[in-house]
Amino acid sequence: MAFPLKTVSNLASADTRTDDAFWAVVPAGGSGTRLWPLSRSAHPKFLLPLLGDRSLLQQTADRLQRLAPPERTLIVCGPAHRAAVAEQLPRFPESSLVVEPSPRGSGPAIGLAAAIIALHDPEAVMGSFAADHEVRDQEAFESAVSAAIETAEAGWLVTIGLTPSRPETGYGYIESSNESIVTNGNGASYRAMRFVEKPDLAQATAYVESGRFLWNASMFIWKVGAFLDELAKLQPDLHRGVTQIAAAWGTPGQRQAVADVWPTLPETTIDQGVMERSGRVAVVPAEMGWSDVGDWHGLAEILNQDAHGICGRGDVINARSRASLVWSETDRVIALVGLENVIVIDTPDALLIADRSKAQEVRGVVATLKGSMRSDIL
């Protein structure tokens, strides 16, 4: 049996809704270790067509194009992925690619993008959206972003929080207050009380039952000036470094500035370095069919399934098996006999077989391979 791929609409011909003051930033980093052996360091999750015939990166670009055109969108990636990103996004000018020489966390990546945008337009509103997430409801996404933009224009650092559908231990959470900041036809925003890292199941259950907590989807919107002011206050070394690099961006001194300053930047995330420490953070609650496509179990949840709950890709024979994901990158026939809740990922040089409930533990396999110096399959 060959599985049908989930189709995702291509918005290339859609009417534009761009706002000249809005810029989009897409951090495209990481290797997606929980999706090994399909996701590899040289060809990570965001470059893979997991939900159709376009990669997660391409789908993210499709999603954003009614908000910001390619010339006002920055893709932040590493040097190993620059060529692939450029190939997948041919409509984007070369200036849209911001190449970080080495990974230092989302703090330096997003901070540098903000500093570059500020040189073009100090009054710009910027949104940061991960390259490897899924959003099924485009209209709800755009409405949430519109509410966030209005809140950001009042000086707030805004995050979009997703209404949780279950007690999820793999996500961070945001606690929202009842203090309303903006309410309009697109949605509402509230003062954020705190960010919480991935909780245990009991804590996650309590969060969901309280009705006050939202999933942290790493979607951030702010005026670049307000963000850089807060960065200068909370992370002065990082602020100093990214503004120094940005000042040389696009000049003959860019290469030297990056080589001199980038290795000295503190390694941090936007969440831990800024959002968790700032007193001017707002959250926009939203429901938009979001997933971080974080592991094989999560991918199985959003793929089209047959009558037995089998999903994926490949030539599969099913004999009394159910609720399983099979993904094949080979020509081999895969037969499932009497199995339930399993993951089978078949690639030319590696085979993964796992219990779906243990999908998070795939990253441990990657750690073991790294310790064994098996870079050939990482």
Side-chain angles (χ1 to χ4, degrees):
M1 137 175 66
F3 299 112
L5 291 177
K6 176 173 181 175
T7 57
V8 179
S9 61
N10 185 342
L11 301 175
S13 60
D15 295 335
T16 58
R17 296 184 183 178
T18 59
D19 178 341
D20 288 345
F22 187 75
W23 286 65
V25 173
V26 179
S31 57
T33 55
R34 289 174 294 169
L35 287 170
W36 183 88
L38 192 59
S39 180
R40 308 285 181 101
S41 57
H43 205 65
K45 179 175 74 165
F46 64 86
L47 294 174
L48 301 176
L50 297 176
L51 297 172
D53 58 0
R54 291 173 67 75
S55 72
L56 296 179
L57 171 65
Q58 290 171 317
Q59 291 179 16
T60 301
D62 293 344
R63 187 181 311 134
L64 293 171
Q65 67 180 353
R66 294 208 296 175
L67 299 170
E71 60 270 21
R72 288 204 313 275
T73 302
L74 300 181
I75 314 294
V76 186
C77 66
H81 306 134
R82 177 176 188 164
V85 168
E87 181 180 359
Q88 289 198 1
L89 301 176
R91 294 177 56 246
F92 283 65
E94 185 178 353
S95 58
S96 289
L97 269 62
V98 177
V99 179
E100 51 177 356
S102 61
R104 303 195 70 77
S106 63
I110 296 174
L112 176 58
I116 292 172
I117 292 169
L119 292 178
H120 292 273
D121 181 3
E123 297 301 314
V125 176
M126 160 190 157
S128 176
F129 308 93
D132 54 4
H133 292 178
E134 186 210 22
V135 171
R136 293 190 292 276
D137 191 333
Q138 177 73 20
E139 184 176 350
F141 169 73
E142 291 182 2
S143 293
V145 172
S146 294
I149 289 173
E150 184 172 340
T151 307
E153 287 172 340
W156 293 83
L157 308 186
V158 190
T159 184
I160 296 176
L162 285 306
T163 304
S165 59
R166 62 187 184 277
E168 174 60 60
T169 60
Y171 298 156
Y173 287 74
I174 306 161
E175 183 177 11
S176 173
S177 72
N178 294 322
E179 182 184 340
S180 176
I181 299 169
V182 165
T183 301
N184 59 29
N186 290 313
S189 60
Y190 303 86
R191 179 186 287 272
M193 300 289 289
R194 60 176 172 140
F195 286 70
V196 182
E197 289 300 315
K198 300 172 183 177
D200 60 27
L201 182 58
Q203 195 173 31
T205 300
Y207 288 165
V208 173
E209 291 175 349
S210 75
R212 300 192 312 272
F213 287 81
L214 303 160
W215 285 339
N216 181 2
S218 298
M219 299 183 189
F220 306 113
I221 295 94
W222 46 57
K223 292 188 73 171
V224 288
F227 169 74
L228 290 172
D229 287 346
E230 201 74 349
L231 190 66
K233 181 172 71 174
L234 299 174
Q235 295 281 331
D237 292 340
L238 178 55
H239 177 270
R240 188 180 308 112
V242 296
T243 52
Q244 184 178 342
I245 294 173
W249 203 260
T251 75
Q254 174 181 326
R255 183 185 298 271
Q256 192 61 51
V258 171
D260 291 343
V261 178
W262 187 263
T264 72
L265 299 180
E267 294 190 38
T268 185
T269 66
I270 284 295
D271 301 73
Q272 295 175 339
V274 178
M275 303 300 278
E276 293 179 8
R277 301 170 58 189
S278 174
R280 55 198 292 192
V281 176
V283 60
V284 173
E287 294 185 60
M288 59 181 73
W290 172 88
S291 171
D292 73 344
V293 199
D295 59 29
W296 289 114
H297 175 74
L299 179 61
E301 291 286 296
I302 55 180
L303 288 173
N304 291 330
Q305 301 178 0
D306 68 11
H308 305 285
I310 306 295
C311 61
R313 176 184 294 174
D315 190 358
V316 178
I317 297 174
N318 178 22
R320 300 183 305 283
S321 296
R322 60 182 302 276
S324 296
L325 166 66
V326 180
W327 193 289
S328 177
E329 295 288 309
T330 74
D331 295 328
R332 283 188 288 267
V333 173
I334 297 176
L336 296 184
V337 181
L339 297 175
E340 184 172 348
N341 292 318
V342 298
I343 299 164
V344 180
I345 312 299
D346 187 27
T347 71
D349 60 353
L351 172 66
L352 170 70
I353 303 172
D355 185 322
R356 274 184 64 172
S357 67
K358 304 295 193 297
Q360 293 272 341
E361 298 179 23
V362 173
R363 67 173 64 182
V365 176
V366 175
T368 298
L369 291 170
K370 286 180 177 178
S372 303
M373 305 299 289
R374 291 298 308 274
S375 60
D376 57 313
I377 52 175
L378 290 175

